[in-house]
Structure formats: C-alpha cells, structure tokens
Amino acid sequence: MQHKASDPADHIRQDAAQPAETAGQNAREQRSEKGTIRHWLKRLRRRIPPVAVVMFALIVALGIGFIIFSEHVSNLEAPASDQRADAIIVLTGGKARIEVALELLAEKRGERLLISGVHPSTKREALQRITGADAALFACCVDLDRSALNTIGNAVESAKWIRQHNYKRIFIVTNNYHMPRSILELSRHIPDVELIPYPVINSDLKNNWMHQGDTLRVLFTEYIKYTGALAHISLVQGS
C-alpha cells in the first residue's frame, strides 16, 4: 500500500492556522472574563446603593486627612531662638500658653503682647501674679482682649489689634494641636500679615500619638473642628 506524500504547502497552511485559532480562543476567553466582570459589577451596583459608596469614600478621605493632620501637628517645632517678630499674640485656653508668650516678650522677641480671650472677671493684677510675669513688663507691654469667646473671636480681635499697631510679622502662641485652626482663622482676617506659629508642646507626640487615648481624642476633636472651619471658609469665599 502506497502512502501519499505530504504536501509541504499543507504543513504551511496548518502552521499558519494554529496561531490564528489560538488567538481566537484567547479573544473569546477575554470576552468571557470581561462579561463576567461586568456581570458582577452590575450585581454590586444593584446591591450597594450609591450613597453607601459616597459615605465609604468620605470616611476613607477623613481617615487619611486625620493621619496627615496628626503627623503635621506632632512635628511642629518652635522657631529658632534668633527669630524675631513685631509682636506676639497668645490665644488662651491651654496649659502654659501665656507663660510661653511672656517669656518671648521678656526675651524681646516681640515689642508687645496681646493675650486674647481673657475671662472678663479676671483682674489684670491677678493675671500678672498668677503667671509670675515681671510687673513693669506686664504694665508697659501687655494688652488684654476680654471679648473673644472662641478661636473665631480670637482671630477677629487679634486682627483689630494688629491693624491698630500696623504690625506685619506676628508670633502666634497656642498649643500645637490648636495651631492649624488658629492660623487658618487668623489668615482669613489678616491675609497680608506674616503669622509665625510658635507651638506650645506639653507632650511629645512624635511617633507616639496613635498610642495615647486621651491625645487621640483631643487630636480627632480638633481635626473635626479644623475641617469644619475649612469647609465654612470655603463656602463663604465661594459665595
């Protein structure tokens, strides 16, 4: 029995057809995978309402923002000792704030000090004795603001004082966690003045704030206030 000799052309056609068949099979598989993905995406869209997606994205954004805020606050440092300003403003409400501001004044790093947010019933002499400030320095170079009730009030009253004296460069003294919101509110009222943060640091937060329960609560509360202030200012400026 004789075998018919194979035609070389047949081998060439078969070799050419195999890649085409493989490519077609791969394309069909890819279309099938895409169809499966689209199917599951449609099911997810039906099961998860859009508002839930928006809320999840908002929570993630707030969480990332809180970490950035806390790291920024934790790494704030006082300016170099040779740095000077025209004047000093301290915002009351936290431990050691006034004492730090009075030290700056005594070191002549500013010619005058405004203590913003003093309780109306607090006597000037009593405040001087409590803080241990030099009586002559306190009498000549310290002004008291008794009108401010909160950070916004601090900014309003501080802006009046700055314009009255025509100051252009100011040390802002407050606790480190309170500094971002204070600078934000002050900048809105006096955008043409250089505000130099001088944070009061009562505890070391570097690489440690996540493990301190009380500190976490303070930071988160201040972060929410800061984001609220930022949103309010954005709305006011956009209207």
Side-chain angles (χ1 to χ4, degrees):
M1 183 176 180
Q2 294 180 345
H3 295 281
K4 185 179 180 180
S6 61
D7 188 350
D10 291 339
H11 289 291
I12 294 172
R13 283 193 293 272
Q14 289 174 2
D15 291 341
Q18 286 177 355
E21 290 176 1
T22 302
Q25 183 178 355
N26 290 340
R28 286 192 294 273
E29 290 177 354
Q30 288 176 0
R31 284 196 297 271
S32 175
E33 289 175 0
K34 289 179 180 177
T36 303
I37 292 170
R38 283 196 295 269
H39 170 73
W40 282 107
L41 286 174
K42 287 179 181 178
R43 291 193 65 179
L44 282 173
R45 281 198 293 268
R46 286 196 296 267
R47 291 174 178 272
I48 303 175
V51 66
V53 176
V54 172
M55 289 299 296
F56 177 75
L58 181 61
I59 291 170
V60 171
L62 284 173
I64 293 172
F66 174 61
I67 292 172
I68 294 172
F69 173 86
S70 300
E71 285 295 321
H72 169 69
V73 165
S74 300
N75 287 284
L76 284 175
E77 295 182 351
S81 58
D82 60 348
Q83 199 166 350
R84 297 233 176 337
D86 297 333
I88 307 155
I89 295 175
V90 57
L91 312 182
T92 60
K95 181 182 178 182
R97 294 182 187 180
I98 297 177
E99 289 80 359
V100 169
L102 286 167
E103 287 178 12
L104 290 174
L105 183 65
E107 293 169 359
K108 302 186 184 302
R109 296 180 67 181
E111 66 181 40
R112 199 162 191 85
L113 166 65
L114 172 67
I115 304 177
S116 179
V118 177
H119 194 278
S121 65
T122 302
K123 301 293 184 183
R124 186 181 181 89
E125 294 77 12
L127 185 60
Q128 178 263 315
R129 287 196 302 272
I130 291 169
T131 56
D134 178 77
L137 182 66
F138 205 93
C140 83
C141 305
V142 175
D143 297 318
L144 305 183
D145 154 46
R146 302 177 186 275
S147 300
L149 301 175
N150 50 36
T151 305
I152 296 174
N154 290 142
V156 171
E157 297 305 319
S158 296
K160 293 177 184 177
W161 184 77
I162 289 170
R163 292 193 189 98
Q164 178 186 351
H165 295 280
N166 196 30
Y167 292 137
K168 296 298 181 184
R169 182 177 166 86
I170 309 291
F171 277 132
I172 304 300
V173 180
T174 188
N175 287 95
N176 51 356
Y177 61 83
H178 186 233
M179 189 63 73
R181 185 160 58 101
S182 302
I183 296 295
L184 180 67
E185 294 288 358
L186 284 161
S187 298
R188 181 161 69 102
H189 292 278
I190 40 175
D192 55 339
V193 174
E194 182 183 0
L195 304 173
I196 307 170
Y198 200 103
V200 176
I201 302 170
N202 293 322
S203 60
D204 184 14
L205 301 180
K206 290 184 179 180
N207 305 315
N208 196 33
W209 59 269
M210 289 187 180
H211 308 291
Q212 301 180 34
D214 291 340
T215 300
L216 267 175
R217 283 191 291 274
V218 171
L219 285 172
F220 188 72
T221 300
E222 187 58 37
Y223 171 65
I224 294 300
K225 290 180 179 179
Y226 173 75
T227 54
L230 192 61
H232 177 259
I233 290 172
S234 298
L235 287 173
V236 170
Q237 291 177 344
S239 60

